[in-house]
Amino acid sequence: MRTTTPSEKDVVRRQTASWPDAVPSQEGEEPAGPRPAGGQRRADGAYGGEESRGIGLPGSPLAARAARQFVRTTLADWTTRGLPGAQYLTERVADEAELLASELVTNAVVHAGTSVELLCRLDEAGPRTAVIIEVSDHHPARPVRGRHDAVTAEGAGRGLQLVGALADAWGITYRRTLKTVWFRVTAEETETEIEPPLEVFEAQRTLPGGPQATVLMSPGPQRAALRRCEVERIHHGALSFLAEASDLLSGQLDADQVAALVAQLIVPRMADWCAVWLDDGDDFGAPRLARVWHATESRIDGLRELLVKDPPVLTGRSGDGPAVAAGPWPWPGEPSGSGFGSGGAALACPLVSGVRRHGTLLIGRAGLLRFPDEIVSLIEDLAGRVARAIATADAYSRQERISRVLQRRLLPGRRADVPGVASAVVYEPREGAWAGGDFWDLFRAGEDRWCFMLGDVCGSGPEAAAVTGLARPVLRLLAREGYGVGEVLDRLNRTVALEAADSVAAVAAAVVEAGSEAEARPGYREESEQARFLSLLYGEIVPHTDGSGGARCTIASAGHPLPLVLGTDGTVRAVAGPQILLGVLEDTVYESESFDLAPGETLLCVTDGVTERRSGSRLFDDEDGLAHALAECAGLGAEGVAEHLRRRVHAFGPTPPDDDLALLVLQAVRP
């Protein structure tokens, strides 16, 4: 991170809190305090000098948690080493710095989608010592003018509102390829601890904000005794709770798991019991009671029996739209025989994301007439985050269903039996893919002729699947019409060149219209363009009928890894020659090659998910790695060869393959 000089024309927006000694900053200035000295990078990834330390974080949901840990560790280290001014860093300063850094890193990851740089600096000024934190992403953004524009344009309203509320000063600096949000948290000259009355602790439930926060759930006189600093402490604790909840919910891809987590977040912190109903997308079906939780486990069944009979039905003020605010709800049933506790206050809160209702959250606490406004606001905020997590999980579930349907339609139901030839297939789409871009087929094309193919669409996702859905049936049709191998590729190439671009464009438009965030993903448009191109290994096999065994193979490779043949003596040779990808040039003429597959010999066809499997900087096929692995299969049958190579590919790297994995084995059986 470089230092801005007065000559640079950066646009800086500053908001300064109304502290008595705060000095309004001028446009173009950097925040006060020492700049990083560009120290050496440490073993843990941090960098910087004594009074400044930074770290790079990945653009993933784990970044917020890492940011909180880094800020907390850095401040503790400064205090332990006795840096000047570190003795004034109180728990309040640490809590606020940790919370705001977490919120800003979350905003950067969600809205910018890039890696994030986090810098902590210590500005020593005696009792007014301050911590300055900068969060930078690498997504270029336009400057903003007013407060409302800043919040809206950056899509980070919540995070910047928190910064504006808690920080003494903050600002945003825009550069051509870098955006930095900074804030300053200053230690107060006097900070006192207020101990609540002893009787408050005796009936406490641990709420966000520590023990003092439980006074919010106590009778009026005790709440009235709270001083302003205690209210602020509770507010900060609630924000920390929401940040932790968001971090926990962000990685969940199952709506029922989200419901289970939110129930355990709420009970027993804010309520004795909790229930979550989910709307599963059926306009005519009733909401489903997905989760019931009670602080006393033995009371869960009794509570469930009452709640399942009478789910909350919340509507907006006009009565015809989804409600967006929490409201009181009748306590479920009579205490006698219920088995879940005496009466109290219940609160129903809709789970709404955008304009869609995803379910309802219902909580209850015994011994209360109503929930305090502070807790109602906290539950509403939590409900919004839960609704967004459920929406994400629902979208993921829909994509999984689409993926399964596509795979069933794009892959053959079974492979044909070729007389005198054993076959085996390995097909594994990459983890998290909608549908694999690789495809294969082995089918009968005539009285004594069988055809096989192994293809790979450049790109991934539904656009690649669109090309796969075009290529395989066209190739089957041409093969059964009696065209030779080269002629089939010639005609398929023209079809792909003319039709694939329209198919990809139509699918991409449908994905964007459906509300997918795929178009915002870096490289999305490039992937869509690449999906027009297809690498294909295609051939036909005619078994010998003179009783000698073996078969005659004719094969052609269009931009595909070349097939290999394992001889009976253990030697490996390549067959066919390299030719251009399908779909690149419309008038390309493809050539085929023929050879005999003798009894006991094995033909291996693979996609680049095998040859380009990575382990650090090495590829699986470096230095003829695939040929050496095939040579190890001497004496194995077709299934044994396929399984041996699959295991070798998986074992080559420490992480799962990041591309589709497909291979086809054809072995001439000895007569």
Side-chain angles (χ1 to χ4, degrees):
M1 191 178 300
R2 60 188 178 86
T3 302
T4 304
T5 62
S7 61
E8 292 180 270
K9 296 182 178 179
D10 295 333
V11 179
V12 181
R13 175 178 177 271
R14 297 292 151 85
Q15 296 292 332
T16 305
S18 58
W19 291 85
D21 58 349
V23 179
S25 54
Q26 301 298 319
E27 184 169 288
E29 290 180 353
E30 287 295 299
R35 297 298 300 164
Q40 297 296 318
R41 185 171 294 274
R42 296 152 47 96
D44 60 2
Y47 56 86
E50 284 288 301
E51 298 178 344
S52 65
R53 184 178 299 176
I55 192 171
L57 302 172
S60 73
L62 300 178
R65 178 182 300 175
R68 291 195 297 273
Q69 183 177 1
F70 176 77
V71 171
R72 179 70 63 171
T73 302
T74 298
L75 269 60
D77 183 58
W78 286 342
T79 303
T80 301
R81 292 192 290 117
L83 264 63
Q87 68 270 28
Y88 299 106
L89 299 181
T90 62
E91 190 66 21
R92 178 193 65 81
V93 173
D95 287 344
E96 292 184 355
E98 180 182 351
L99 171 65
L100 297 183
S102 174
E103 288 288 333
L104 292 181
V105 168
T106 298
N107 285 337
V109 169
V110 171
H111 301 292
T114 70
S115 59
V116 181
E117 294 178 19
L118 174 64
L119 179 70
C120 297
R121 294 192 284 122
L122 182 64
D123 183 13
E124 191 274 320
R128 298 291 294 172
T129 292
V131 174
I132 301 173
I133 292 182
E134 302 179 13
V135 176
S136 302
D137 63 64
H138 298 273
H139 181 72
R142 66 175 178 84
V144 293
R145 302 302 177 189
R147 177 179 177 83
H148 178 270
D149 289 341
V151 172
T152 303
E154 297 305 316
R158 176 77 185 171
L160 294 186
Q161 287 175 4
L162 292 181
V163 172
L166 300 182
D168 302 323
W170 68 279
I172 307 176
T173 300
Y174 292 93
R175 303 183 179 94
R176 286 177 296 178
T177 60
L178 190 72
K179 184 192 74 180
T180 299
V181 181
W182 65 269
F183 66 85
R184 177 189 182 98
V185 179
T186 305
E188 298 184 42
E189 295 186 14
T190 58
E191 292 192 17
T192 59
E193 295 293 335
I194 303 300
E195 293 292 339
L198 180 60
E199 59 270 19
V200 177
F201 285 100
E202 294 176 352
Q204 278 183 355
R205 308 293 182 96
T206 305
L207 297 179
Q212 289 80 2
T214 60
V215 182
L216 285 176
M217 308 298 288
S218 305
Q222 292 179 350
R223 292 183 57 205
L226 286 175
R227 294 177 54 180
R228 177 181 176 82
C229 58
E230 287 302 322
V231 175
E232 291 179 353
R233 184 191 306 276
I234 294 167
H235 181 60
H236 298 164
L239 295 178
S240 297
F241 166 74
L242 291 173
E244 292 288 348
S246 295
D247 191 29
L248 183 63
L249 296 172
S250 63
Q252 304 303 322
L253 298 176
D254 180 83
D256 287 271
Q257 183 65 21
V258 173
L261 287 173
V262 69
Q264 296 179 50
L265 280 169
I266 292 175
V267 177
R269 289 179 173 180
M270 287 171 285
D272 294 314
W273 55 265
C274 173
V276 181
W277 282 264
L278 294 179
D279 296 340
D280 292 328
D282 186 355
D283 294 336
F284 303 98
R288 175 172 59 90
L289 184 56
R291 184 70 174 179
V292 176
W293 193 249
H294 197 290
T296 303
E297 189 172 352
S298 61
R299 297 178 174 178
I300 293 177
D301 291 340
L303 178 60
R304 178 184 292 276
E305 290 179 7
L306 288 172
L307 294 178
V308 75
K309 300 175 183 177
D310 187 23
V313 180
L314 304 178
T315 60
R317 293 181 179 178
S318 63
D320 56 358
V324 296
W329 194 257
W331 187 264
E334 295 297 328
S336 58
S338 66
F340 67 87
S342 59
L347 182 72
C349 186
L351 302 176
V352 178
S353 175
V355 296
R356 182 182 174 187
R357 170 85 164 268
H358 296 280
T360 304
L361 173 66
L362 181 65
I363 66 173
R365 182 162 180 140
L368 287 182
L369 295 178
R370 68 178 185 86
F371 279 89
D373 293 341
E374 297 87 349
I375 298 301
V376 174
S377 297
L378 183 61
I379 290 296
E380 288 178 337
D381 200 329
L382 176 63
R385 300 176 188 229
V386 171
R388 290 190 290 273
I390 294 174
T392 300
D394 288 344
Y396 180 81
S397 297
R398 287 194 297 271
Q399 290 182 0
E400 276 197 319
R401 290 195 296 270
I402 292 172
S403 175
R404 288 193 293 269
V405 171
L406 285 174
Q407 289 180 17
R408 286 196 297 267
R409 297 294 301 271
L410 298 178
L411 297 177
R414 60 180 296 273
R415 61 180 184 271
D417 294 325
V418 182
V421 178
S423 64
V425 173
V426 172
Y427 177 77
E428 298 178 354
R430 67 181 176 86
E431 185 176 358
W434 274 48
D438 291 2
F439 62 96
W440 65 273
D441 205 354
L442 175 59
F443 61 95
R444 188 169 186 171
E447 185 65 26
D448 55 358
R449 187 169 61 96
W450 284 259
C451 292
F452 59 91
M453 70 179 83
L454 190 64
D456 183 7
V457 180
C458 299
S460 60
E463 295 80 17
V467 178
T468 301
L470 170 70
R472 195 169 66 87
V474 169
L475 192 148
R476 274 196 169 209
L477 177 64
L478 292 172
R480 287 170 174 164
E481 288 293 323
Y483 290 103
V485 172
E487 294 174 310
V488 168
L489 290 187
D490 292 344
R491 287 163 172 76
L492 180 61
N493 175 62
R494 287 195 290 272
T495 301
V496 171
L498 292 173
E499 302 294 336
D502 293 338
S503 298
V504 170
V507 171
V511 169
V512 174
E513 184 178 354
S516 170
E517 297 181 358
E519 191 179 29
R521 187 178 71 247
Y524 170 77
R525 294 189 180 277
E526 291 76 4
E527 290 179 6
S528 299
E529 290 296 321
Q530 292 173 359
R532 295 182 300 172
F533 308 131
L534 172 68
S535 74
L536 182 69
L537 191 65
Y538 171 67
E540 65 178 30
I541 185 167
V542 179
H544 291 157
T545 58
D546 57 3
S548 61
R552 184 69 173 173
C553 291
T554 303
I555 198 167
S557 174
H560 207 80
L562 299 182
L564 302 176
V565 172
L566 172 63
T568 55
D569 58 355
T571 59
V572 176
R573 69 182 189 275
V575 291
Q579 299 180 80
I580 194 170
L581 286 167
L582 296 172
V584 177
L585 298 175
E586 184 179 343
D587 57 353
T588 301
V589 177
Y590 289 89
E591 303 291 339
S592 61
E593 299 181 22
S594 299
F595 61 94
D596 286 318
L597 191 66
E601 290 190 329
T602 301
L603 173 65
L604 172 66
C605 309
V606 303
T607 60
D608 60 7
V610 174
T611 57
E612 297 181 4
R613 167 77 161 117
R614 285 193 171 275
S615 178
S617 61
R618 297 186 304 119
L619 301 180
F620 184 78
D621 199 32
D622 284 348
E623 301 178 354
D624 296 326
L626 179 60
H628 292 309
L630 180 59
E632 298 169 357
C633 299
L636 297 178
E639 294 287 351
V641 172
E643 179 61 18
H644 177 80
L645 293 175
R646 187 192 71 82
R647 291 181 178 178
R648 282 290 308 273
V649 172
H650 276 277
F652 183 72
T655 58
D658 59 358
D659 195 1
D660 301 333
L661 181 65
L663 60 87
L664 171 65
V665 177
L666 299 173
Q667 187 179 76
V669 180
R670 297 180 186 274

